[in-house]
PDB file of all heavy atoms in Angstrom:
ATOM      1  N   MET W  96      17.757   4.210  13.895  1.00 85.00           N
ATOM      2  CA  MET W  96      17.922   4.616  15.297  1.00 85.00           C
ATOM      3  C   MET W  96      18.245   3.413  16.182  1.00 85.00           C
ATOM      4  O   MET W  96      19.084   3.514  17.087  1.00 85.00           O
ATOM      5  CB  MET W  96      16.665   5.341  15.771  1.00 85.00           C
ATOM      6  CG  MET W  96      16.484   6.695  15.119  1.00 85.00           C
ATOM      7  SD  MET W  96      14.893   7.495  15.429  1.00 85.00           S
ATOM      8  CE  MET W  96      14.721   7.406  17.172  1.00 85.00           C
ATOM      9  N   LEU W  97      17.611   2.288  15.925  1.00 86.00           N
ATOM     10  CA  LEU W  97      17.918   1.079  16.687  1.00 86.00           C
ATOM     11  C   LEU W  97      19.353   0.622  16.438  1.00 86.00           C
ATOM     12  O   LEU W  97      20.039   0.165  17.351  1.00 86.00           O
ATOM     13  CB  LEU W  97      16.935  -0.035  16.321  1.00 86.00           C
ATOM     14  CG  LEU W  97      15.499   0.140  16.804  1.00 86.00           C
ATOM     15  CD1 LEU W  97      14.600  -0.946  16.215  1.00 86.00           C
ATOM     16  CD2 LEU W  97      15.435   0.133  18.315  1.00 86.00           C
ATOM     17  N   ARG W  98      19.821   0.759  15.203  1.00 82.00           N
ATOM     18  CA  ARG W  98      21.208   0.410  14.895  1.00 82.00           C
ATOM     19  C   ARG W  98      22.170   1.336  15.617  1.00 82.00           C
ATOM     20  O   ARG W  98      23.211   0.900  16.117  1.00 82.00           O
ATOM     21  CB  ARG W  98      21.450   0.487  13.394  1.00 82.00           C
ATOM     22  CG  ARG W  98      20.761  -0.580  12.617  1.00 82.00           C
ATOM     23  CD  ARG W  98      20.925  -0.363  11.134  1.00 82.00           C
ATOM     24  NE  ARG W  98      20.144  -1.320  10.376  1.00 82.00           N
ATOM     25  CZ  ARG W  98      19.878  -1.214   9.097  1.00 82.00           C
ATOM     26  NH1 ARG W  98      20.372  -0.202   8.394  1.00 82.00           N
ATOM     27  NH2 ARG W  98      19.157  -2.120   8.488  1.00 82.00           N
ATOM     28  N   CYS W  99      21.839   2.610  15.660  1.00 83.00           N
ATOM     29  CA  CYS W  99      22.696   3.571  16.360  1.00 83.00           C
ATOM     30  C   CYS W  99      22.772   3.241  17.852  1.00 83.00           C
ATOM     31  O   CYS W  99      23.838   3.287  18.447  1.00 83.00           O
ATOM     32  CB  CYS W  99      22.168   4.987  16.139  1.00 83.00           C
ATOM     33  SG  CYS W  99      23.172   6.271  16.904  1.00 83.00           S
ATOM     34  N   CYS W 100      21.636   2.909  18.440  1.00 83.00           N
ATOM     35  CA  CYS W 100      21.628   2.528  19.856  1.00 83.00           C
ATOM     36  C   CYS W 100      22.425   1.248  20.083  1.00 83.00           C
ATOM     37  O   CYS W 100      23.089   1.098  21.111  1.00 83.00           O
ATOM     38  CB  CYS W 100      20.201   2.351  20.353  1.00 83.00           C
ATOM     39  SG  CYS W 100      19.277   3.889  20.463  1.00 83.00           S
ATOM     40  N   ASP W 101      22.365   0.328  19.146  1.00 83.00           N
ATOM     41  CA  ASP W 101      23.109  -0.920  19.258  1.00 83.00           C
ATOM     42  C   ASP W 101      24.614  -0.672  19.210  1.00 83.00           C
ATOM     43  O   ASP W 101      25.372  -1.355  19.886  1.00 83.00           O
ATOM     44  CB  ASP W 101      22.706  -1.879  18.142  1.00 83.00           C
ATOM     45  CG  ASP W 101      23.457  -3.183  18.205  1.00 83.00           C
ATOM     46  OD1 ASP W 101      23.391  -3.853  19.257  1.00 83.00           O
ATOM     47  OD2 ASP W 101      24.110  -3.540  17.200  1.00 83.00           O
ATOM     48  N   ARG W 102      25.043   0.304  18.446  1.00 81.00           N
ATOM     49  CA  ARG W 102      26.476   0.620  18.323  1.00 81.00           C
ATOM     50  C   ARG W 102      26.940   1.598  19.394  1.00 81.00           C
ATOM     51  O   ARG W 102      28.040   2.122  19.312  1.00 81.00           O
ATOM     52  CB  ARG W 102      26.757   1.228  16.955  1.00 81.00           C
ATOM     53  CG  ARG W 102      26.605   0.281  15.806  1.00 81.00           C
ATOM     54  CD  ARG W 102      27.107   0.898  14.520  1.00 81.00           C
ATOM     55  NE  ARG W 102      26.435   2.124  14.182  1.00 81.00           N
ATOM     56  CZ  ARG W 102      25.553   2.273  13.190  1.00 81.00           C
ATOM     57  NH1 ARG W 102      25.261   1.246  12.444  1.00 81.00           N
ATOM     58  NH2 ARG W 102      25.000   3.427  12.956  1.00 81.00           N
ATOM     59  N   LYS W 103      26.091   1.890  20.370  1.00 80.00           N
ATOM     60  CA  LYS W 103      26.401   2.860  21.428  1.00 80.00           C
ATOM     61  C   LYS W 103      26.650   4.231  20.818  1.00 80.00           C
ATOM     62  O   LYS W 103      27.570   4.949  21.209  1.00 80.00           O
ATOM     63  CB  LYS W 103      27.589   2.404  22.258  1.00 80.00           C
ATOM     64  CG  LYS W 103      27.385   1.070  22.925  1.00 80.00           C
ATOM     65  CD  LYS W 103      28.613   0.625  23.662  1.00 80.00           C
ATOM     66  CE  LYS W 103      28.387  -0.772  24.188  1.00 80.00           C
ATOM     67  NZ  LYS W 103      29.577  -1.326  24.800  1.00 80.00           N
ATOM     68  N   CYS W 104      25.836   4.566  19.829  1.00 80.00           N
ATOM     69  CA  CYS W 104      25.865   5.847  19.118  1.00 80.00           C
ATOM     70  C   CYS W 104      27.197   6.111  18.433  1.00 80.00           C
ATOM     71  O   CYS W 104      27.604   7.253  18.246  1.00 80.00           O
ATOM     72  CB  CYS W 104      25.471   6.999  20.034  1.00 80.00           C
ATOM     73  SG  CYS W 104      23.759   6.889  20.586  1.00 80.00           S
ATOM     74  N   GLY W 105      27.884   5.067  18.027  1.00 76.00           N
ATOM     75  CA  GLY W 105      29.118   5.197  17.269  1.00 76.00           C
ATOM     76  C   GLY W 105      28.877   4.880  15.806  1.00 76.00           C
ATOM     77  O   GLY W 105      27.785   4.501  15.393  1.00 76.00           O
ATOM     78  N   CYS W 106      29.942   5.041  15.004  1.00 74.00           N
ATOM     79  CA  CYS W 106      29.805   4.806  13.561  1.00 74.00           C
ATOM     80  C   CYS W 106      30.390   3.476  13.116  1.00 74.00           C
ATOM     81  O   CYS W 106      30.268   3.119  11.951  1.00 74.00           O
ATOM     82  CB  CYS W 106      30.484   5.945  12.798  1.00 74.00           C
ATOM     83  SG  CYS W 106      29.660   7.513  13.029  1.00 74.00           S
ATOM     84  N   ASP W 107      31.030   2.748  13.999  1.00 74.00           N
ATOM     85  CA  ASP W 107      31.674   1.496  13.625  1.00 74.00           C
ATOM     86  C   ASP W 107      30.655   0.362  13.644  1.00 74.00           C
ATOM     87  O   ASP W 107      30.134   0.007  14.707  1.00 74.00           O
ATOM     88  CB  ASP W 107      32.812   1.191  14.601  1.00 74.00           C
ATOM     89  CG  ASP W 107      33.654   0.021  14.155  1.00 74.00           C
ATOM     90  OD1 ASP W 107      33.467  -0.453  13.014  1.00 74.00           O
ATOM     91  OD2 ASP W 107      34.508  -0.416  14.953  1.00 74.00           O
TER      92      ASP W 107
END
Side-chain angles (χ1 to χ4, degrees):
M96 291 171 50
L97 289 173
R98 290 174 186 166
C99 182
C100 291
D101 180 57
R102 292 189 302 252
K103 301 177 186 174
C104 295
C106 294
D107 189 9

